Amino acid sequence: MTKQVATNITWHHGHVDRQDRNRLLGQRGATIWFTGLPSSGKSTIAFTLEHALVESGHLSYVLDGDNIRHGLNKNLGFTPEDRNENIRRIGEVAKLFADCGVLTCTSFISPYRADRDQARKLHEAAGLPFIEVYVKTPIELCEQRDPKGLYKKARAGQLAEFTGVSAPYEEPLKPELVLDTTELDPRQAAEAVLTYLKANGLLDKP
Amino acid sequence: MTKQVATNITWHHGHVDRQDRNRLLGQRGATIWFTGLPSSGKSTIAFTLEHALVESGHLSYVLDGDNIRHGLNKNLGFTPEDRNENIRRIGEVAKLFADCGVLTCTSFISPYRADRDQARKLHEAAGLPFIEVYVKTPIELCEQRDPKGLYKKARAGQLAEFTGVSAPYEEPLKPELVLDTTELDPRQAAEAVLTYLKANGLLDKP
């Protein structure tokens, strides 16, 4: 590869075309936007999907609380205003990743319809696919799982502005996909997304 | 490719290892941080490098004013505080791209040493290569080029906080590379960065 760079190089000014990167990767950059209640299973499904994609030769990357809330958005809290800015920034970053050719999964509660629609508009205006995936898990089941004990804390009044308990979750009206986790385990849910990506040509070389 | 996904799929939970993405791409994700005065030639060099990389089969992406200032950072101005937050966010986003395996070029004046050092620290703490490239162009030459007429406006007092005129530029003390554009044209400058990337194994399959 090093030799190839040295000998076959073509020098250009100006921007690389998005399609050049898509061709290089053999896929179409897109954002797969997971939304749902806390503990609904968004991240588990997103990471399962990412694994399957990378192992089959596709570049995928998950943006989630771990790499965003502790980094880019560490100066934001949980007020409605900060939640809005949180999702705005994530939408912008996902758009950059999709433009770069990456099958980008975002895994955030993203409870407000208007915020998700803003992220969608950003992508659509740039001609980038935006796939809203609603991880539909009844709150009773989320609360039963509650791996981090957050529902428990929220019910005890120790957590303010907790989605589903003391802050609203607005269900998507027209998501590209609904994953009913009372019927699908994480693998089956990831498989459903994969099927969608394939059916829509996102895993094909453009 | 579609068939491969359907039949050879391996299902895993948890995160994809960074090295898996690097192996897939045949390179090591890294941030190439261009810094220099306005009109010093940063973006021209960055886009020339990006082109050469993509045409030789390497995934590269440029973060610059066009895709950041009008998107992620559109709610920031040019006060010292906002410049600091501007570069902080860019450092975080570049880190995510590098983690994803991309040879990420950032093209921003990034005038403050402390801000650049913060971006470096972020990367180094995550075990990601950070290559600071100082595009060294005498201010007289930048001002002579002045493609957008910004120096002219700044000299006329129509632009506040303009780096090199009414705001400071702090030269890098220990950049990985210095590109003296009085000696190198954009192609030669990009070639120098490419040589550095090759010499440091960033274009090899890990």
Side-chain angles (χ1 to χ4, degrees):
Chain A
M1 191 55 90
T2 304
K3 265 194 182 164
Q4 195 190 334
V5 172
T7 55
N8 296 347
I9 211 147
T10 322
W11 295 99
H12 289 283
H13 294 286
H15 297 225
V16 167
D17 192 80
R18 182 188 296 161
Q19 289 306 81
D20 291 336
R21 262 186 294 261
N22 283 344
R23 264 188 293 272
L24 175 68
L25 293 170
Q27 63 189 35
R28 279 177 67 202
T31 291
I32 303 146
W33 188 282
F34 292 91
T35 174
L37 288 168
S39 307
S40 56
K42 299 178 297 298
S43 287
T44 305
I45 298 167
F47 283 115
T48 304
L49 175 64
E50 180 198 33
H51 248 299
L53 284 167
V54 171
E55 294 206 3
S56 61
H58 289 287
L59 186 63
S60 179
Y61 193 71
V62 177
L63 301 172
D64 75 341
D66 278 349
N67 57 20
I68 292 289
R69 274 280 182 195
H70 301 301
L72 177 65
N73 291 356
K74 69 179 175 189
N75 53 3
L76 298 174
F78 291 89
T79 63
E81 195 180 42
D82 276 9
R83 279 178 191 254
N84 174 284
E85 172 67 4
N86 180 49
I87 298 302
R88 188 193 72 78
R89 290 188 198 167
I90 292 160
E92 293 282 4
V93 172
K95 180 190 153 192
L96 293 170
F97 269 85
D99 183 45
C100 177
V102 181
L103 294 163
T104 314
C105 304
T106 64
S107 174
F108 298 90
I109 300 166
S110 45
Y112 300 123
R113 211 170 276 143
D115 291 350
R116 295 191 305 264
D117 286 349
Q118 190 190 30
R120 176 187 293 276
K121 268 184 203 150
L122 269 182
H123 283 73
E124 291 180 348
L128 290 164
F130 183 86
I131 301 142
E132 189 174 2
V133 180
Y134 177 28
V135 181
K136 194 174 180 178
T137 306
I139 191 164
E140 298 73 27
L141 189 52
C142 297
E143 196 154 358
Q144 199 177 303
R145 292 176 184 165
D146 201 20
K148 296 176 193 163
L150 297 176
Y151 280 94
K152 210 175 167 185
K153 277 193 188 170
R155 294 287 179 201
Q158 291 161 10
L159 267 185
E161 307 269 11
F162 190 77
T163 302
V165 175
S166 46
Y169 178 78
E170 300 172 0
E171 286 195 326
L173 296 179
K174 284 184 182 178
E176 275 69 13
L177 274 173
V178 179
L179 304 174
D180 181 340
T181 67
T182 62
E183 291 180 359
L184 304 170
D185 67 22
R187 179 192 149 158
Q188 292 168 324
E191 212 158 3
V193 184
L194 206 57
T195 300
Y196 180 93
L197 299 179
K198 283 193 280 183
N200 286 275
L202 298 176
L203 305 188
D204 299 331
K205 216 178 174 87
Chain B
M1 192 55 94
T2 305
K3 268 196 182 163
Q4 193 189 337
V5 172
T7 55
N8 296 347
I9 211 149
T10 322
W11 295 98
H12 289 284
H13 295 285
H15 298 225
V16 167
D17 192 82
R18 181 186 297 160
Q19 289 305 84
D20 291 335
R21 263 186 294 261
N22 283 344
R23 266 189 293 271
L24 175 68
L25 294 170
Q27 62 189 36
R28 278 176 68 201
T31 291
I32 304 146
W33 188 283
F34 291 92
T35 174
L37 287 168
S39 306
S40 56
K42 299 179 295 299
S43 287
T44 305
I45 299 168
F47 283 114
T48 304
L49 176 65
E50 181 198 33
H51 249 301
L53 284 167
V54 171
E55 294 207 1
S56 61
H58 290 287
L59 186 64
S60 178
Y61 193 71
V62 177
L63 301 172
D64 75 340
D66 278 347
N67 58 19
I68 292 289
R69 274 281 182 194
H70 301 298
L72 177 66
N73 291 356
K74 69 179 174 188
N75 53 2
L76 298 174
F78 291 90
T79 63
E81 195 179 43
D82 276 8
R83 281 179 191 255
N84 174 285
E85 173 66 4
N86 180 50
I87 298 302
R88 188 194 71 78
R89 290 187 199 168
I90 292 160
E92 293 281 4
V93 173
K95 180 190 154 192
L96 293 170
F97 269 84
D99 184 44
C100 177
V102 181
L103 293 163
T104 313
C105 304
T106 65
S107 174
F108 299 91
I109 301 166
S110 46
Y112 300 122
R113 212 170 276 143
D115 292 348
R116 296 191 304 263
D117 286 349
Q118 190 190 28
R120 176 188 292 277
K121 269 183 203 151
L122 270 183
H123 283 73
E124 290 180 349
L128 290 164
F130 183 88
I131 302 143
E132 190 174 0
V133 180
Y134 177 29
V135 181
K136 194 175 180 178
T137 307
I139 191 164
E140 298 73 26
L141 188 53
C142 298
E143 198 155 354
Q144 199 178 304
R145 292 178 185 165
D146 201 19
K148 298 177 195 164
L150 297 176
Y151 280 94
K152 210 175 167 185
K153 277 193 188 171
R155 293 287 178 202
Q158 290 159 10
L159 266 186
E161 307 270 10
F162 190 78
T163 302
V165 175
S166 46
Y169 179 78
E170 300 172 359
E171 286 195 325
L173 297 179
K174 284 185 182 177
E176 274 70 14
L177 273 173
V178 179
L179 304 174
D180 181 340
T181 67
T182 62
E183 291 181 358
L184 304 171
D185 67 23
R187 179 193 149 156
Q188 291 167 324
E191 210 157 5
V193 183
L194 207 55
T195 301
Y196 180 93
L197 298 180
K198 284 194 280 183
N200 287 274
L202 297 177
L203 305 188
D204 299 330
K205 216 179 173 86

